[in-house]
Amino acid sequence: MAVAMLDHKSFFHAAMATIPSSILIFDERLSVVMVNQNFLEKSRGSLSSTLGRRLHDIFPPAFQDTPLDQQIREVIHSGATLHRQRMTYRAPGVSLRIYAYSICPLQLQGGRGAILVMDDVTDLLQLGEEVRRMQLHLASIVECAGDLIISTDPHGAIMTWNTTAQRATAFLESEMRGRRLADQIDAPENLEAMECFREIGQIDDRRSVEWPLLCRDGRSIPVSWRLSRMTSSTGEVSGVVVVGRNLVEQRAMEAQMHQAEKLAALGRVIGGIAHEIRNPLGVSSAAAQLMRRDTTPAALMEECIEKVIGGIDRASLVVESLLRFARPGPIRESTRVNMLEVLDNALMFASGEMSAGTTVEWTPARPTRAIHAEGVQNLLELVMINLTLNGFQAMPHGGRLTIAMSANVDEVTVEISDSGPGIPESHISKVFDPFFTTRSDSRRLGLGLSVSHSIVQQHGGDLTVRSSSGEGATFTVRLPRARRGAPSRLPE
Amino acid sequence: MTGEDQVWFAESALVVDDDQEMCWVLEVTLASVGCVATVACSAQAAIALAGEHIFPIAFVDARLPDMDGLRLVEELQALQPRIRITVISGYFFEDDERICEAIQERKIHGFLAKPFEIDAIVGAAGVRR
């Protein structure tokens, strides 16, 4: 079989004519020895006006900033190829052009030379830049999103983990990649997550789920998730997109709302106190007005004086206890606290929440001698206000609040029971949780019981609850008893 | 005011307040114009008394331990339609919506916020003949 032989000269001309690059061959003096059609078209020059000219003469002046001639000289001198260089051609009034070029040493007849191959890559680069920009844009959507955006493979192994997810958990994408997302969910919801990834065909992206997400510090944050399947063009499930909304801030906002509820309740407490003050003021004022009359008999005058003073004293006492309660006061210095006084004050403060038809009963009878606990007066008062408010609020149609107080050598025990509907078993473990409340009513203190619980614990005591549906609830406070005669750790 | 031509005072009054000192004030003030006060410390006691005696006037505290004062007003009026009731309160103000409504509907004859002028009590005890 005859094999056609390659004619080098014709191959050279064919290549020169067809390669869509500009090709120039220079000799040692950087004179053009050879140039292809592409270059002539681009430079709008002719063969005769190009051949034999120096590099500087055939390139526009704007090119002369580039080290092209230096580079060609070096290639010729060193014999080493210079690959893929880039130069920018910025001519006045013409948009920026970018060229990629290589310089390769060449043996010419009668000396050394070099071949310069250059391509206008402006459009290519722009296209690449656009693709890159689009990719960046998509990536920044994911990265800048306020939501946690996580993708997994069809088995639930994490593929991407965005900045928000990193910030929320302090886990980096690099450590999360490949881990199962379900393992990052806190118990017991992790089981549900595991189940969900086992059956990704069942995923319903219209439904959101609340799974707590584990953080580096071992805690978990509440997150509301929405899962969607990623499908390839052939319809196969290629992964799952998991978008989560961090609920921490939402919860903080809820806390603010609860704060507003607290203020509303405080307003009611103040209503009760206003009543406590206006009553004795009314008595004092009326008694004084009677004294001003000429017709008032002398015997009644004496009584009026008593009533004026008595009323002012009563009002002062209310104001005084209010001030003592509201004052920040030292919280570390504990004193001997008369719990009977604390209870009396609490009942007075909470009386505004007392519905008509409510009675307060001491069973067994109110102790006749003071019972002292070791603690901080206004914090213990806050606990008792919260417990009595809670009791009164549990009985909106009236009922009986029963108070029992007893003490042994070490402990003071106060029990406050209401005759309200009681606490269902499913709620009883949550009543001391912050913000736990069963009522949408703004009168409800969402924090009262949880705050009380922590105060009592800080005192080295405990606060417990027992209840059965339909039979009211009983809160029991145990506090360390103040030692007799040892007037505590007061500075004075 | 006593002894003026056209002013007469009710001979008896029902006073309902759980604050004993306040009851004393009303008793003494009413006594100064010859009006005998009968005191009830709760709504139930007041209803029981109103079932036994006729009272031309009554002073009712808006907040009672066993019943809302304004509800007691309705109960008393059902028992004694001609009774003229003045509500006294440490809670409400004169411009309080519930009070304005009660006055407009003629459920109550007057309203006094604590502390009050005793002449207002005297005025409320006055009747035209």
Side-chain angles (χ1 to χ4, degrees):
Chain A
M1 205 161 65
V3 176
M5 291 296 290
L6 184 66
D7 172 12
H8 289 278
K9 201 170 178 182
S10 98
F11 165 73
F12 175 74
H13 283 292
M16 286 291 265
T18 53
I19 290 173
S21 306
S22 296
I23 301 172
L24 290 134
I25 295 173
F26 295 96
D27 63 14
E28 257 170 314
R29 293 177 300 120
L30 301 195
S31 295
V32 178
V33 176
M34 186 75 214
V35 61
N36 75 341
Q37 195 56 37
N38 186 288
F39 180 81
L40 294 176
E41 276 167 23
K42 289 267 167 65
S43 64
R44 297 206 185 96
S46 65
L47 201 59
S48 57
S49 68
T50 308
L51 281 178
R53 306 287 290 275
R54 303 289 290 268
L55 179 74
H56 282 191
D57 303 327
I58 55 163
F59 277 91
F63 267 110
Q64 286 163 17
D65 293 340
T66 64
L68 198 57
D69 57 344
Q70 183 61 34
Q71 286 173 336
I72 294 171
R73 251 187 261 279
E74 266 173 34
V75 168
I76 293 171
H77 182 73
S78 67
T81 305
L82 196 61
H83 282 296
R84 283 188 282 280
Q85 298 296 300
R86 189 169 287 179
M87 61 183 171
T88 309
Y89 171 40
R90 210 186 294 270
V94 180
S95 69
L96 181 98
R97 306 304 296 179
I98 300 162
Y99 292 88
Y101 63 94
S102 295
I103 306 165
C104 186
L106 208 64
Q107 193 60 49
L108 301 174
Q109 285 164 349
R112 287 187 287 184
I115 179 165
L116 169 69
V117 181
M118 48 193 292
D119 290 289
D120 184 342
V121 291
T122 314
D123 296 339
L124 199 67
L125 281 175
Q126 263 173 3
L127 192 67
E129 180 61 27
E130 244 157 63
V131 170
R132 207 176 63 88
R133 206 178 296 143
M134 187 53 76
Q135 274 176 339
L136 264 176
H137 183 64
L138 285 174
S140 68
I141 290 175
V142 171
E143 287 312 304
C144 301
D147 285 342
L148 292 85
I149 300 178
I150 298 163
S151 62
T152 75
D153 69 10
H155 308 291
I158 295 164
M159 290 163 69
T160 62
W161 179 265
N162 76 341
T163 310
T164 302
Q166 292 191 18
R167 231 183 338 228
T169 60
F171 282 125
L172 300 175
E173 183 175 32
S174 53
E175 17 178 16
M176 296 320 287
R177 209 174 288 133
R179 286 211 215 175
R180 287 198 307 172
L181 178 58
D183 292 340
Q184 298 308 117
I185 304 298
D186 203 0
E189 284 84 355
N190 59 338
L191 298 175
E192 196 186 319
M194 241 175 258
E195 187 61 32
C196 187
F197 282 107
R198 204 170 295 141
E199 306 229 8
I200 53 172
Q202 306 292 312
I203 287 175
D204 179 1
D205 59 10
R206 288 164 303 181
R207 200 172 63 93
S208 58
V209 284
E210 197 178 321
W211 293 337
L213 182 64
L214 284 169
C215 300
R216 186 182 284 286
D217 61 8
R219 286 185 299 182
S220 61
I221 49 167
V223 178
S224 169
W225 302 98
R226 205 169 272 252
L227 285 75
S228 322
R229 281 185 303 268
M230 256 191 292
T231 43
S232 67
S233 51
T234 56
E236 258 176 302
V237 176
S238 56
V240 181
V241 181
V242 189
V243 179
R245 174 142 298 175
N246 189 340
L247 298 178
V248 170
E249 274 174 33
Q250 190 178 324
R251 294 284 144 89
M253 272 178 46
E254 283 167 11
Q256 277 179 357
M257 275 165 57
H258 281 97
Q259 189 65 22
E261 282 178 28
K262 268 174 66 179
L263 287 174
L266 191 62
R268 281 184 168 76
V269 168
I270 286 168
I273 291 161
H275 181 253
E276 291 294 322
I277 296 172
R278 287 169 90 192
N279 253 339
L281 281 185
V283 173
S284 295
S285 163
Q289 291 174 57
L290 284 170
M291 287 167 70
R292 200 168 52 187
R293 283 183 169 181
D294 306 332
T295 51
T296 302
L300 192 58
M301 288 292 272
E302 272 309 306
E303 212 177 340
C304 283
I305 292 170
E306 293 295 317
K307 300 291 178 190
V308 169
I309 296 170
I312 290 170
D313 283 351
R314 246 171 87 199
S316 306
L317 215 64
V318 176
V319 173
E320 194 187 308
S321 51
L322 188 63
L323 275 178
R324 236 185 314 124
F325 172 63
R327 186 165 296 167
I331 49 164
R332 281 186 193 85
E333 301 293 349
S334 65
T335 57
R336 284 163 61 83
V337 179
N338 183 348
M339 290 306 287
L340 285 175
E341 221 177 82
V342 166
L343 238 336
D344 289 343
N345 281 343
L347 284 168
M348 178 189 74
F349 286 156
S351 64
E353 279 296 284
M354 207 166 143
S355 302
T358 305
T359 56
V360 177
E361 230 168 67
W362 288 75
T363 312
R366 188 178 186 278
T368 46
R369 293 178 63 182
I371 293 180
H372 291 101
E374 180 83 29
V376 180
Q377 169 109 18
N378 53 22
L379 290 184
L380 293 180
E381 237 162 41
L382 180 60
V383 170
M384 293 305 157
I385 290 168
N386 281 332
L387 294 181
T388 46
L389 270 177
N390 189 69
F392 287 145
Q393 285 166 345
M395 306 181 289
H397 307 296
R400 192 178 60 252
L401 191 83
T402 311
I403 300 170
M405 195 187 292
S406 61
N408 61 23
V409 186
D410 307 314
E411 263 185 356
V412 177
T413 305
V414 182
E415 282 196 345
I416 296 177
S417 316
D418 62 68
S419 61
I423 305 164
E425 216 177 304
S426 56
H427 288 167
I428 208 145
S429 62
K430 297 182 197 157
V431 293
F432 297 121
D433 290 352
F435 312 127
F436 176 77
T437 176
T438 51
R439 276 160 245 193
S440 50
D441 185 347
S442 66
R443 293 157 54 132
R444 182 73 182 168
L445 295 171
L447 281 171
L449 291 177
S450 102
V451 166
S452 302
H453 190 257
S454 68
I455 290 174
V456 173
Q457 281 199 324
Q458 281 163 20
H459 276 74
D462 61 34
L463 170 57
T464 54
V465 60
R466 59 174 197 275
S467 174
S468 46
S469 263
E471 283 173 34
T474 298
F475 286 86
T476 305
V477 183
R478 280 189 199 82
L479 291 164
R481 188 169 186 181
R483 268 186 237 118
R484 189 182 294 273
S488 74
R489 292 166 266 150
L490 251 190
E492 294 171 304
Chain B
M1 274 181 102
T2 46
E4 288 291 323
D5 293 342
Q6 301 300 317
V7 184
W8 298 74
F9 293 98
E11 282 168 12
S12 68
L14 177 63
V15 168
V16 194
D17 200 317
D18 58 329
D19 188 315
Q20 287 183 3
E21 305 288 287
M22 193 48 71
C23 292
W24 173 88
V25 166
L26 292 165
E27 239 181 309
V28 170
T29 308
L30 291 168
S32 72
V33 292
C35 175
V36 179
T38 304
V39 171
C41 290
S42 68
Q44 287 312 319
I47 290 166
L49 282 168
E52 289 166 17
H53 309 281
I54 298 291
F55 296 104
I57 57 171
F59 295 90
V60 174
D61 186 21
R63 191 174 171 87
L64 294 164
D66 55 345
M67 194 185 286
D68 185 271
L70 289 174
R71 238 199 84 202
L72 175 64
V73 166
E74 288 173 12
E75 303 262 341
L76 292 178
Q77 274 172 338
L79 286 166
Q80 301 189 15
R82 293 172 59 93
I83 195 165
R84 296 194 314 151
I85 301 172
T86 300
V87 167
I88 303 179
S89 173
Y91 262 103
F92 297 116
F93 290 101
E94 278 158 66
D95 52 3
D96 200 283
E97 205 178 324
R98 279 189 73 193
I99 298 301
C100 292
E101 246 178 57
I103 290 178
Q104 258 174 11
E105 291 169 14
R106 295 175 192 280
K107 276 188 193 160
I108 62 176
H109 183 254
F111 172 80
L112 292 174
K114 294 173 186 173
F116 46 77
E117 297 286 321
I118 54 171
D119 285 344
I121 300 289
V122 171
V127 281
R128 271 182 237 109
R129 291 218 173 153

